[in-house]
Amino acid sequence: MSATMKNVLVILGVGGMGKACAHRLAAGRSVFIADYSKENLDATAEALRAEGRLVHTSIVDIADYESVSKFADSAAAEGRIETIVHTAGVSPIAGDPKTIYAIDLLGTANVIDGFYRHATPGTTLTCIASIAAQETALSGHITPDLEKHLATASREKLLDHPDLAPDSLRYESSYGISKRGNQLRVEIASQQWGRRGARINTVSPGVIATPMAQKEASSAGGNQTFLENMIVTAGLRRIGTATEIVNAVAFLASSEASFINGADLRVDGGQAGWMRWHSKRI
Ligand SMILES: NC(=O)c1ccc[n+]([C@@H]2O[C@H](COP(=O)([O-])OP(=O)(O)OC[C@H]3O[C@@H](n4cnc5c(N)ncnc54)[C@H](O)[C@@H]3O)[C@@H](O)[C@H]2O)c1
């Protein structure tokens, strides 16, 4: 690397978690942020610049591979991509299953493939999945065949499976299936990334106080009681904070996590343990 080559931080999605990650990880790096919301991009860029950071903004739709790949190329042209954090996504109430599959499932596959081309020794990609993946898997909505498909299908064929079709009984579980898909694609991609000396992992949050959770609680289709129930059933009996997600992301991106590759780190206050061992299911 030449003396003038910059180290690059990439953040996809600058809502509650992405913005907090950008602030924590920006020091000493050229920061590339992407979102399809100009409003969120501008607000985050302004706040980072006020801290003296060097920031590049791009309007990117992660559901569109070309859009992601162009963004990845622009970040790589600036310097060595050190750290990538992918937080862009929509919640279960944000749209119909088709939108959720396109953004949360295919979008993450687009990010993994688009940035793999620029992975070099030491590069890390951390994708935000969700504890909803565990709930959906425990509910029996993911057959072995669907699981294999989510892990191994090419990006182009990823949405092409009977269980992901509108007439499937599983169609409505789009959020949990997509998030399980994120964990699986990261797990399988750890081979390719690892051979380059790069690492890829997921973080699976429980309920976290960000605009997404707020919107979900207050929207007509949202379910305040469901969220409250999730909060009280997490062992810690409280909502998590964006900072607690950033702490996990910063750890996975650091040399402290140098042998962690293809893993899913739950940051859920104990929610997954409740789902598996204490809920009415057993
Ligand atoms: N907040 C929670 O309780 C919670 C819990 C579990 C998992 N998650 C997951 O964490 C991640 C981050 O969530 P958050 O709470 O920061 O949400 P948020 O809504 O605050 O931020 C998400 C950001 O992604 C952007 N985005 C959405 N679709 C996009 C697209 N197609 N292309 C580009 N940008 C897009 C939005 O504009 C927004 O800025 C999401 O994947 C979410 O599913 C959140």
Side-chain angles (χ1 to χ4, degrees):
M1 191 168 77
S2 83
T4 53
M5 193 85 160
K6 294 190 177 105
N7 283 323
V8 174
L9 165 70
V10 173
I11 309 278
L12 295 117
V14 284
M17 293 183 203
K19 189 174 178 187
C21 286
H23 282 283
R24 170 73 73 87
L25 299 169
R29 290 163 170 164
S30 188
V31 184
F32 280 68
I33 57 175
D35 203 295
Y36 68 2
S37 156
K38 186 172 177 338
E39 194 187 336
N40 288 3
L41 263 184
D42 289 347
T44 303
E46 193 185 328
L48 287 166
R49 286 182 186 128
E51 291 178 352
R53 308 302 182 199
L54 185 61
V55 187
H56 307 261
T57 61
S58 297
I59 297 280
V60 170
D61 179 358
I62 61 160
D64 173 8
Y65 180 72
E66 291 313 314
S67 175
V68 174
S69 134
K70 224 169 101 190
F71 173 57
D73 291 347
S74 69
E78 172 86 349
R80 190 181 81 83
I81 301 185
E82 252 190 323
T83 305
I84 310 150
V85 186
H86 165 39
T87 77
V90 287
S91 77
I93 54 104
D96 56 308
K98 191 174 174 205
T99 306
I100 292 173
Y101 282 128
I103 295 178
D104 289 344
L105 178 59
L106 182 59
T108 296
N110 288 340
V111 170
I112 294 171
D113 289 1
F115 280 90
Y116 172 67
R117 299 172 304 117
H118 300 294
T120 56
T123 300
T124 64
L125 167 57
T126 307
C127 301
I128 307 296
S130 171
I131 211 65
Q134 267 77 359
E135 171 65 18
T136 304
L138 287 169
S139 302
H141 288 304
I142 304 181
T143 60
D145 185 65
L146 177 59
E147 179 159 279
K148 187 170 176 202
H149 175 85
L150 292 171
T152 60
S154 67
R155 195 180 66 239
E156 294 80 3
K157 299 250 170 77
L158 182 54
L159 300 184
D160 187 9
H161 187 279
D163 288 343
L164 308 180
D167 60 356
S168 160
L169 290 176
R170 301 191 166 90
Y171 193 56
E172 293 301 324
S173 303
S174 54
Y175 185 73
I177 289 176
S178 297
K179 293 300 184 176
R180 181 68 186 133
N182 298 166
Q183 295 170 346
L184 291 164
R185 289 190 90 76
V186 159
E187 192 176 80
I188 204 162
S190 62
Q191 283 297 305
Q192 268 189 319
W193 284 66
R195 276 187 236 114
R196 287 204 178 165
R199 296 183 295 108
I200 176 167
N201 293 292
T202 44
V203 166
S204 286
V207 185
I208 307 297
T210 68
M212 180 180 280
Q214 280 150 15
K215 256 184 250 156
E216 198 156 343
S218 60
S219 84
N223 190 337
Q224 178 81 40
T225 317
F226 176 73
L227 282 185
E228 278 167 3
N229 192 42
M230 278 189 74
I231 291 164
V232 295
T233 55
L236 290 176
R237 291 177 165 264
R238 66 169 174 83
I239 196 164
T241 65
T243 304
E244 288 170 317
I245 298 303
V246 179
N247 289 342
V249 170
F251 164 67
L252 288 173
S254 76
S255 58
E256 301 283 310
S258 51
F259 204 50
I260 301 181
N261 187 25
D264 178 56
L265 177 53
R266 292 175 189 156
V267 185
D268 67 343
Q271 185 96 58
W274 176 82
M275 284 173 181
R276 180 152 189 202
W277 299 109
H278 302 280
S279 76
K280 285 196 207 93
R281 196 181 293 108
I282 56 170

